[in-house]
Amino acid sequence: MSDPSFDRLGIWNWESENVADEIEYAKYAESKGFDSVWQGESRLVRDAMTIMGAYTQVTDSIKFGPGVTNCYTRNVALMAQTFSTLHELSNGRAMLGIGAWWDPLASKVGIDRQNALRYMWEYCTVLSKLLDLENVTYDGQYIQVEDIELDLVRANADPRAVPIYIGATGLTMNKMSGELVGKGVIDGVYMNYLIPPEHNEMAMEKLTEGVEKQGGEIEDVDRPQLIAVSMDEDADVAIDNARGLVTQYIGQQPHITKASGIDPEVGEQIGEELGGWPADAEDIERASRLVPDEVVTNIVAAGTPEDCVQKVGDYCEAGCTEPSLYSLGSNMKEVIDVFAEFKAE
């Protein structure tokens, strides 16, 4: 296989030991010609909005967004206010990746995610209008607002061109996202990770179905994708370094278990070994012995630098428009350096 070439590249920052490292990685990625930095905000670790505010002050050209925040804990007006501010601070570089969060964390803080599809539809519809500086009244099943708008008395009152991406995991959410792109509400999807490239092809079918239903075409749907990268000159070391993360997701995220290619009964056994969420280090170590190398390399770009580049290329061939690279080790700068060599001019 010939070496791939990437038109666009991004990184994904998440829970570095030192938060200052995440700031440094964003600066370094920009210096190497990368296009975006996405900030993880899934567990109760670091607030993405705070860190992205820092990005606005230390970078000049790289775009940034949460990859992804959730549609429940910030009401739609506050979300519009937040991204209007980030848009101003960065001279228009802010993006918004938004998803339906996950259980059991959501339920532990009192959020009922029933009918997340409808909630996301209503949320994005209102949010888009607010960022366009419209006055909005909306009486939905879940979102109700009356006579609200961004109150920009002294600030620049031009519409906020903030691209919106839905973090779609299920195929039905992909279809709905395609419809919202076709309606001009959102710009694309932030494609899921820890899935094989073949899963992208199923997502592409649903995105196409949705966008064409609204008179658009698949080229209208931007498709950046979070891709886990475990890179080492010794492929065995790289695979071992990724095994723990893969184990946790197989045991705790049913859609990942289904997509990973692992035997369902083994998946159940892994879940039993983990003993629920959150699992401790001993549980993860014990359960990880059930996860073979081929399962790891099926859903992670794990191996030598050459292995990782080829695997990420596979995701792009299957529909990803911009790899968002998440280094599972402490070698983010090395990962950036390796992929920068394959950035299209």
Side-chain angles (χ1 to χ4, degrees), residues 125-136:
T125 298
V126 173
L127 178 63
S128 177
K129 291 178 181 294
L130 289 171
L131 290 171
D132 282 341
L133 302 194
E134 296 183 26
N135 182 284
V136 185

Side-chain angles (χ1 to χ4, degrees), residues 54-291:
Y55 292 159
T56 70
Q57 302 305 294
V58 299
T59 62
D60 299 308
S61 60
I62 199 166
K63 297 179 180 180
F64 61 87
V68 296
T69 190
N70 74 82
C71 60
Y72 295 103
T73 53
R74 295 177 180 89
N75 72 55
V76 69
L78 176 60
M79 189 74 84
Q81 181 182 20
T82 297
F83 278 83
S84 172
T85 305
L86 288 169
H87 177 86
E88 283 191 272
L89 281 170
S90 64
N91 294 316
R93 292 184 283 133
M95 306 178 292
L96 172 53
I98 187 165
W101 220 13
W102 56 282
D103 279 317
L105 182 54
S107 62
K108 284 177 178 285
V109 297
I111 290 171
D112 182 355
R113 298 172 60 250
Q114 188 175 17
N115 203 353
L117 288 163
R118 182 65 204 176
Y119 194 100
M120 183 70 77
W121 179 283
E122 294 180 5
Y123 193 99
C124 288
T125 298
V126 173
L127 178 63
S128 177
K129 291 178 181 294
L130 289 171
L131 290 171
D132 282 341
L133 302 194
E134 296 183 26
N135 182 284
V136 185
T137 295
Y138 189 91
D139 185 18
Q141 183 178 352
Y142 297 102
I143 305 294
Q144 297 91 33
V145 299
E146 182 179 355
D147 189 28
I148 64 167
E149 60 187 305
L150 289 177
D151 190 13
L152 304 177
V153 176
R154 295 182 176 84
N156 181 301
D158 293 331
R160 294 345 193 193
V162 177
I164 300 173
Y165 297 85
I166 289 179
T169 56
L171 294 177
T172 307
M173 185 71 86
N174 275 284
K175 180 178 181 293
M176 188 198 76
S177 299
E179 290 192 47
L180 287 173
V181 172
K183 290 173 68 68
V185 174
I186 69 171
D187 295 82
V189 293
Y190 192 59
M191 299 181 81
N192 202 18
Y193 87 137
L194 294 185
I195 55 174
E198 293 76 20
H199 194 275
N200 281 12
E201 296 170 2
M202 292 186 286
M204 289 286 287
E205 290 177 5
K206 290 299 182 181
L207 288 169
T208 301
E209 183 180 344
V211 72
E212 289 183 350
K213 181 179 179 180
Q214 299 297 333
E217 54 190 4
I218 189 61
E219 288 74 18
D220 300 330
V221 184
D222 196 16
R223 304 177 300 276
Q225 182 169 20
L226 172 56
I227 301 172
V229 177
S230 184
M231 180 186 293
D232 194 279
E233 292 295 337
D234 186 328
D236 291 336
V237 170
I239 294 168
D240 283 341
N241 287 342
R243 203 183 311 274
L245 178 70
V246 170
T247 300
Q248 292 178 74
Y249 272 80
I250 287 175
Q252 297 167 351
Q253 300 287 338
H255 65 280
I256 298 295
T257 306
K258 184 176 180 180
S260 69
I262 200 167
D263 183 287
E265 292 185 1
V266 176
E268 290 182 12
Q269 187 178 355
I270 290 170
E272 292 172 1
E273 292 286 350
L274 287 173
W277 180 86
D280 62 32
E282 291 183 1
D283 293 334
I284 295 168
E285 171 63 26
R286 185 173 59 254
S288 68
R289 297 168 190 164
L290 300 171
V291 180

Side-chain angles (χ1 to χ4, degrees), residues 305-333:
E306 294 78 11
D307 295 333
C308 294
V309 169
Q310 292 295 342
K311 184 70 173 185
V312 172
D314 292 342
Y315 284 101
C316 292
E317 286 187 8
C320 165
T321 55
E322 180 179 315
S324 183
L325 307 173
Y326 167 32
S327 174
L328 301 185
S330 58
N331 60 343
M332 175 63 90
K333 286 188 175 182

Side-chain angles (χ1 to χ4, degrees), residues 34-47:
F34 276 51
D35 301 275
S36 66
V37 52
W38 296 82
Q39 192 68 34
E41 191 186 67
S42 175
R43 304 198 327 267
L44 300 179
V45 185
R46 292 184 181 130
D47 169 58

